[in-house]
Structure formats: C-alpha cells, structure tokens
Amino acid sequence: MSCTDRKVIRCRAAVAWEAGKPLVIEEVEVAPPQAMEVRLKVLYTALCHTDVYFWEAKGQTPVFPRIFGHEAAGIVESVGEGVTELKPGDHVLPVFTGECKECRHCKSEESNMCDLLRINTDRGVMLNDGKSRFSINGKPIYHFVGTSTFSEYTVVHVGCLAKINPAAPLDKVCILSCGVSTGLGATLNVAKPPKGSTVAIFGLGAVGLSAAEGARIAGASRIIGVDLNPKRFHQAKMFGVTEFVNPKDYDKPVQEVIAEMTDGGVDRSVECTGNINAMISAFECVHDGWGVAVLVGVPNKDDAFKSHPMNFLNERTLKGTFFGNYKPRTDLPSVVEMYLKKELELEKFITHEVTLSEINKAFDYMLNGESIRCIIRMD
C-alpha cells in the first residue's frame, strides 16, 4: 500500500491507561503513515525491562495512556511520502533509536547517536506533526520511544526500521531490537576482547548474558559472571560464563577478588547493572597496561563515578556505549546474518511465550525474575 492509500486501520493493542496498572486489550485506530513514516504489521514483540520501568513510572515523567513495546519484528504494510528504502512486504526490526543518515553522528563511523532520532522517552507523538497515530474514539493514545509494538499495527519513522533478510524467523530475531544487541555490541564492538582473553560481566540479566554471548563468540578463555543473585549462575553457563562471583560472599571489594583470581585483573569487563558501585568495580578490576572496562547500565541521575586518577594513568581504559554502538539501519541486518549463520544463538534467551491477550503474564514473569525474554505473539 502506498502513501496515496489513506486508510485508518482498526486493530488490537495492549494499552497502558495508567502507571503500574495491568494493560488492557483495546481496539485502536492506527492512522496512515505521514512523510518519512512507515506503518507495519507487528508479528512478534518481546517484553524488555525498559518497558516495565516506564510502565511503573516511579521516577520519570508519566505519559499515559500509552502503548509500550520496542523489541519487535514485523512486515511493512504501507509507507508514507518520501520513503524509498522500504516497500510493503519488507521484513523489518523497529528500533527505539534511529539513523537518519544525514547528521554528523550518522556520517561518523565512530557514533550511532543520531541527532534526529536518538531515544526520547518523554515524547509520545510523531516527529513529523507532533501528533499520535493511535486513537480510541478520537482520543489520542501516546507512543513509546517511537515504536509502540504492543499493537498489531504501529507507525514508525523510517529511520528507526532495519530491513532484514526475509529468511530470518521473526519470532527469534525480534529480540535483537534492544537488549541482546546492546550487550552483544558492548563486547564485540567496544570492549573487543582478543581471543583467549579474560572477561568479567557485571550483572547477568538479559543484557549481561548478551555481553557474555559476545565474549563467547570472541573466543574469551575465561568469562567471569558477577551477580548478587546466585540463581542466575546456572543459567549463565549456557552463555559461556565459566566462573561466578557473588560480591556478598566476600568481605573485600569485588574488584580485589577478581584481581586475585586473574593475576592482576581481567583483560576486559562489561558492566550491565547501572549500579554505580558495580561500575567502579568493573573499571578497577581490569588489568593495568591494557585493561578496558565498558559501561552499559544506566545510572541514577545523581550518581557520581569516583576512582583514583592513578587507575587511568596506569593505562586502564573506561568506555561507555549506547545500543552496543550499532547503527540500527546499517548494522542490525549483519547481526541477523550472524544468527542465520549460527554464530549467534538466540533461542536460549527466549524463556517464555504468550499471546497478546496474555501480555500481563509477561509482566509477571519479568517482575518475578522468571524470564530472560518473553515473546508475545500477535495472533
């Protein structure tokens, strides 16, 4: 369907009417895509901790009613004016951040932080006209990070869609839209552990396990998982983790424990918790001379990172990353190909599957710590 076919689509969506309350399956109207927008049929989506965090709205600007969801895979239904790279029938991954291909960040080989389409969690409308494409009886329902995939149809800026190989199973590659790519890229693109190196992963949730998967793919000889929850240790073995450290088991800082285990420190570390003390430990546990620590977790706004300057002068490197340094449109298709070539294993991340009408079960699984990723089928 082209931009000239201006039809509203009525479909089901899981609407969050207010913070922390169960989502409600409603019939919503989805307006046609405007200039540089694409309307897609969502086939599979997944629940990420970020959805839960903003649904709870305990420390952010509440924007309700809203349709959450940002890890997904679907098929292009129609395109708006000016869209030339996608056509109806194309398989795509919607992404919470984008790539306009025109700004300084997009033209830089070193950055993926697009000026136009960088994540904005407070904005609930489309960039083109400042309006929502969702409504119920004329009342607007707000978007979430430009994706809103807890709906059978959604409208997304073309710069936030990665066109992928149609041979890829959408119920698997949908999880590449956020957490898996974030952790995987933090290791492969930023930490870059040499084959045979030692790597410490702080936090063994979905992003941390993805970082461990990256270390496994890179050929690390030792992957040390650090987490306060011992229940996560057995599961992490599937992702290549070889040793486990629970900071609560020691009466000394965990960076000292790791340094003793590794003859002075690990070659690389990846921090995936957002806890400021874990960030400091992740930096201070890398070996002097060549050690690199990568921060992935998002800290509280008032946190301050404190470490003695000598840790830097002794040639330890501290880096940060956003979405694993992947450019969504340019790089995600190659990550999908890694899966198709069986270099990257995705099935082990998927612990549960529900239908859209059962979406609140997915929230329960995550809140109870039972799931890594729960897939939500739209049928």
Side-chain angles (χ1 to χ4, degrees):
M1 190 181 295
S2 71
C3 58
T4 58
D5 298 308
R6 295 299 185 190
K7 294 181 180 178
V8 170
I9 286 179
R10 290 178 174 82
C11 69
R12 295 183 308 148
V15 177
W17 287 101
E18 53 184 306
K21 295 295 176 66
L23 275 54
V24 180
I25 304 301
E26 305 276 12
E27 181 179 83
V28 300
E29 294 185 343
V30 185
Q34 302 301 307
M36 302 307 291
E37 296 174 1
V38 174
R39 187 164 60 186
L40 61 139
K41 180 178 176 62
V42 179
L43 296 183
Y44 297 93
T45 186
L47 180 65
C48 170
H49 186 265
T50 303
D51 295 307
V52 176
Y53 181 73
F54 284 93
W55 165 73
E56 290 177 323
K58 291 179 178 177
Q60 319 87 35
T61 303
V63 182
F64 294 94
R66 199 172 208 181
I67 297 173
F68 286 100
H70 63 285
E71 280 192 359
I75 298 175
V76 173
E77 179 267 340
S78 59
V79 301
E81 181 182 348
V83 176
T84 57
E85 292 187 20
L86 294 173
K87 64 183 184 305
D90 284 343
H91 288 209
V92 291
L93 299 181
V95 186
F96 65 91
T97 187
E99 182 184 354
C100 73
K101 297 192 175 183
E102 298 295 330
C103 71
R104 288 185 301 166
H105 285 278
C106 286
K107 290 181 177 179
S108 167
E109 294 183 0
E110 298 181 55
S111 175
N112 66 341
M113 302 185 72
C114 176
D115 280 329
L116 177 67
L117 300 170
R118 193 179 304 184
I119 184 173
N120 184 326
T121 56
D122 292 336
R123 186 173 59 229
V125 294
M126 299 300 290
L127 282 172
N128 183 56
D129 58 4
K131 296 179 180 178
S132 174
R133 301 289 173 262
F134 298 107
S135 62
I136 296 177
N137 298 324
K139 176 183 173 64
I141 308 297
Y142 294 109
H143 295 251
F144 178 62
V145 295
T147 52
S148 292
T149 59
F150 293 167
S151 174
E152 292 175 320
Y153 287 84
T154 188
V155 176
V156 179
H157 191 286
V158 65
C160 297
L161 290 169
K163 181 181 176 181
I164 63 168
N165 188 335
L170 298 182
D171 61 330
K172 304 298 188 297
V173 297
C174 64
I175 64 174
L176 292 174
S177 284
C178 182
V180 171
S181 295
T182 295
L184 184 74
T187 302
L188 293 179
N189 298 335
V190 188
K192 299 179 181 178
K195 187 174 182 179
S197 59
T198 58
V199 180
I201 308 293
F202 285 73
L204 298 175
V207 175
L209 293 175
S210 304
E213 178 76 355
R216 182 192 68 79
I217 292 170
S221 61
R222 297 173 69 185
I223 304 174
I224 302 169
V226 183
D227 202 290
L228 296 173
N229 183 357
K231 293 180 180 179
R232 289 179 163 180
F233 292 164
H234 175 73
Q235 191 175 51
K237 292 179 182 178
M238 293 191 299
F239 299 83
V241 176
T242 57
E243 300 158 71
F244 305 96
V245 174
N246 186 338
K248 291 192 293 187
D249 292 342
Y250 301 89
D251 58 4
K252 64 176 72 173
V254 69
Q255 54 265 46
E256 294 181 15
V257 175
I258 293 172
E260 291 173 3
M261 292 171 60
T262 55
D263 191 25
V266 292
D267 302 306
R268 302 289 188 267
S269 71
V270 184
E271 192 287 321
C272 304
T273 71
N275 178 280
I276 192 64
N277 293 319
M279 292 179 173
I280 295 168
S281 296
F283 173 56
E284 295 183 352
C285 81
V286 300
H287 207 289
D288 58 7
W290 60 79
V292 177
V294 178
L295 305 185
V296 182
V298 179
N300 292 325
K301 63 178 182 178
D302 296 326
D303 283 339
F305 186 95
K306 296 179 181 179
S307 186
H308 197 282
M310 285 305 300
N311 288 320
F312 293 92
L313 294 173
N314 286 335
E315 300 182 1
R316 294 178 180 88
T317 300
L318 179 66
K319 294 184 175 184
T321 180
F322 172 71
F323 192 52
N325 276 43
Y326 286 120
K327 292 178 183 284
R329 298 161 82 181
T330 300
D331 297 331
L332 273 195
S334 64
V335 183
V336 171
E337 294 303 318
M338 286 177 63
Y339 168 72
L340 291 175
K341 294 175 184 175
K342 301 189 185 305
E343 298 168 3
L344 168 64
E345 300 171 9
L346 293 179
E347 285 81 1
K348 58 192 177 185
F349 288 94
I350 300 168
T351 53
H352 298 78
E353 185 173 319
V354 299
T355 62
L356 180 63
S357 60
E358 301 171 315
I359 192 169
N360 289 304
K361 287 185 180 179
F363 279 74
D364 291 339
Y365 293 144
M366 180 160 286
L367 290 168
N368 293 333
E370 299 174 32
S371 66
I372 301 175
R373 275 297 180 265
C374 179
I375 302 298
I376 301 157
R377 298 194 317 273
M378 288 297 169
D379 58 348

